[in-house]
Amino acid sequence: MMLEVSKLSAGYSNAVLAGIDLNVERGEILGIIGPNGSGKSTLLKTISAILKPMNGVVYLDGKNVHKLKPSELAKELAITTTNRSDVGFLTGFEVVSLGRYPYTDAFGRLSERDVEIVMEALRLVNAEYLADKPFSEMSDGEKQKIMIARALAQQPKVLLLDEPTSFLDAKHRVEIPLILRRIANEKGIAIVLTTHDIELAVRICDRIVMVKDGRVVAEGYAEDLDSEIVKELYGIGVAEFDPFLGTFELKGEGRAKIHVVCGGGSGARVMRLLTKNRIPFTAGVIHENDIDFYIAKHCAVGVVKERPYEEIRDETLEDAFRLVENCDLVVDTGFPIGKINARNLEVLRTAKRVYSLRSKKELEKIDLDAEVIRMADLLKICKY
């Protein structure tokens, strides 16, 4: 076990955290998630020895981190926070080279080996092009790359990151997590990161620890994240987390006058568009193993479902007919038609008005009387 936190209590004048236990192995990414003020940053600062624990111990390879000299700890563990130090007019290379301070002589001189390690750290974070660029002229995403590279230059066994994607643009919100995953895989570095972004945690973390009110309320593999625990953790009522999709979906509510016939992922955009504009709808028939089903069960106010890989049964079809009968219009998302869902065409043919995202040629081919629309027109039609 590389990093172990045992019965840790920590805080400032009063304890913010109490009785925390966790562990991280080599090459593993552990995500600590929870609402703001839950104690995530305090936990990270205590693990890194910025704060002293009130109770408990933090071990790194069996050594108490709070009893190590700063120069010794810097060779074992590195941390990046959301706070940006004022480094004046230093270039990217010079900032990263600061990570070599535990290894340099009294004058801070870099050896050829130190330079190689700095350039390798820049390469690992896709930032070689930033070596000669002044840090003050970099974007937030570029600065984050440099700070991670500086931490890597320390050649740590454990890397701690506090909210690594906060305030970043879309490009770097995608790139930084992928960089962290590569660091863990290629270098075998154990990574502990805090975040309030559950979707990020699910995508890159091996395990997740949920913290609320200073205590661990749940932990486990990212793929086993439970929607009810997430709802309790964040107190969210207007949206639900779907573990299968790894995303939050807005909840639909109200009396539906629109029915959506979809499948094969063709309904995702339509259902999300209607839900965020507070237009209630029903959906179906959708097979339970279809990605559209996972979205519909949150967004739609009613869903007709069928068992996976089975043709639509008579009783299921009747349920769909009843929903359509109570609706003013039906939206055909242009779902791919196969043997198991072909009877959805019967659902469409019983509707009073059908608007379809298919082409006229395709509608003629399947003999469906519907008005062709574009996604851009859908909202206007559904609001009628």
Side-chain angles (χ1 to χ4, degrees):
M1 191 178 298
M2 183 165 288
L3 181 71
E4 180 183 5
V5 177
S6 178
K7 296 178 173 55
L8 186 71
S9 294
Y12 302 90
S13 56
N14 298 308
V16 176
L17 301 164
I20 302 295
D21 293 300
L22 58 86
N23 60 81
V24 193
E25 302 288 350
R26 176 182 172 85
E28 182 180 36
I29 300 182
L30 178 72
I32 301 172
I33 66 174
N36 290 335
S38 60
K40 302 188 302 295
S41 296
T42 301
L43 176 56
L44 220 61
K45 289 177 181 178
T46 309
I47 292 174
S48 65
I50 294 174
L51 289 177
K52 290 184 178 180
M54 294 179 173
N55 286 297
V57 186
V58 179
Y59 295 106
L60 203 169
D61 276 348
K63 295 175 283 189
N64 186 333
V65 300
H66 292 90
K67 291 185 177 180
L68 294 175
K69 294 179 181 178
S71 58
E72 294 174 336
L73 182 60
K75 295 178 181 180
E76 304 281 338
L77 182 150
I79 182 171
T80 68
T81 67
T82 53
N83 297 323
R84 292 282 180 265
S85 302
D86 182 6
V87 295
F89 297 100
L90 295 184
T91 64
F93 176 88
E94 290 167 335
V95 173
V96 176
S97 68
L98 295 175
R100 296 302 298 163
Y101 80 90
Y103 303 91
T104 55
D105 60 24
F107 298 99
R109 290 174 294 200
L110 298 177
S111 66
E112 288 186 12
R113 177 59 181 156
D114 290 324
V115 173
E116 289 176 3
I117 291 169
V118 169
M119 292 306 299
E120 171 65 8
L122 284 166
R123 184 195 67 77
L124 269 174
V125 300
N126 301 332
E128 290 172 290
Y129 71 100
L130 296 173
D132 297 322
K133 185 174 182 177
F135 188 79
S136 59
E137 296 178 9
M138 295 180 192
S139 69
D140 285 339
E142 290 173 334
K143 288 178 179 178
Q144 184 68 305
K145 285 184 178 181
I146 292 298
M147 299 310 290
I148 294 173
R150 184 180 74 168
L152 291 176
Q154 293 175 222
Q155 295 183 297
K157 296 176 181 176
V158 177
L159 174 60
L160 310 178
L161 302 106
D162 191 15
E163 301 285 358
T165 59
S166 291
F167 314 115
L168 302 188
D169 58 27
K171 174 191 173 184
H172 289 100
R173 284 178 67 84
V174 173
E175 188 180 12
I176 295 295
L178 294 177
I179 287 171
L180 296 178
R181 189 68 259 180
R182 187 169 76 225
I183 290 169
N185 292 345
E186 291 185 8
K187 294 297 182 180
I189 295 175
I191 296 177
V192 181
L193 61 88
T194 66
T195 182
H196 58 269
D197 187 342
I198 296 180
E199 296 178 11
L200 162 68
V202 170
R203 284 180 173 83
I204 72 161
C205 294
D206 297 292
R207 291 186 297 115
I208 290 176
V209 170
M210 297 185 178
V211 179
K212 185 176 183 180
D213 299 328
R215 295 183 180 276
V216 172
V217 295
E219 61 179 300
Y221 288 101
E223 291 74 17
D224 294 331
L225 201 60
D226 183 270
S227 58
E228 288 303 313
I229 294 176
V230 173
K231 182 188 289 187
E232 181 182 345
L233 182 70
Y234 287 94
I236 298 172
V238 297
E240 294 181 341
F241 180 79
D242 191 292
F244 178 82
L245 299 174
T247 61
F248 280 98
E249 296 294 339
L250 294 175
K251 290 172 61 178
E253 55 184 18
R255 184 168 176 269
K257 286 294 184 180
I258 298 166
H259 185 79
V260 177
V261 183
C262 56
S266 66
R269 292 183 304 156
V270 171
M271 292 187 284
R272 286 169 173 160
L273 176 66
L274 296 177
T275 305
K276 72 181 179 183
N277 284 281
R278 298 185 178 180
I279 299 173
F281 64 92
T282 54
V285 178
I286 314 176
H287 286 81
E288 290 178 312
N289 60 330
D290 194 309
I291 191 169
D292 278 346
F293 172 73
Y294 290 93
I295 297 171
K297 72 177 183 178
H298 301 294
C299 297
V301 297
V303 183
V304 180
K305 62 184 180 180
E306 185 54 274
R307 292 183 292 227
Y309 309 112
E310 292 191 9
E311 293 184 36
I312 296 173
R313 294 166 294 160
D314 291 341
E315 56 267 38
T316 309
L317 200 64
E318 288 297 327
D319 290 339
F321 288 158
R322 279 191 286 272
L323 289 183
V324 169
E325 188 177 354
N326 293 322
C327 291
D328 294 335
L329 64 90
V330 172
V331 177
D332 164 31
T333 63
F335 58 90
I337 302 169
K339 184 178 180 181
I340 65 171
N341 72 342
R343 298 191 77 182
N344 266 332
L345 291 177
E346 297 178 45
V347 177
L348 292 171
R349 291 181 182 125
T350 61
K352 304 165 191 172
R353 298 162 61 197
V354 179
Y355 291 93
S356 178
L357 294 172
R358 302 178 197 272
S359 66
K360 284 185 177 180
K361 184 176 180 180
E362 188 177 0
L363 288 174
E364 290 174 0
K365 184 178 179 179
I366 61 176
D367 189 26
L368 179 62
D369 182 16
E371 184 175 336
V372 176
I373 59 167
R374 301 172 301 161
M375 274 293 294
D377 301 321
L378 180 63
L379 195 58
K380 186 189 301 182
I381 291 168
C382 290
K383 281 185 173 180
Y384 55 94

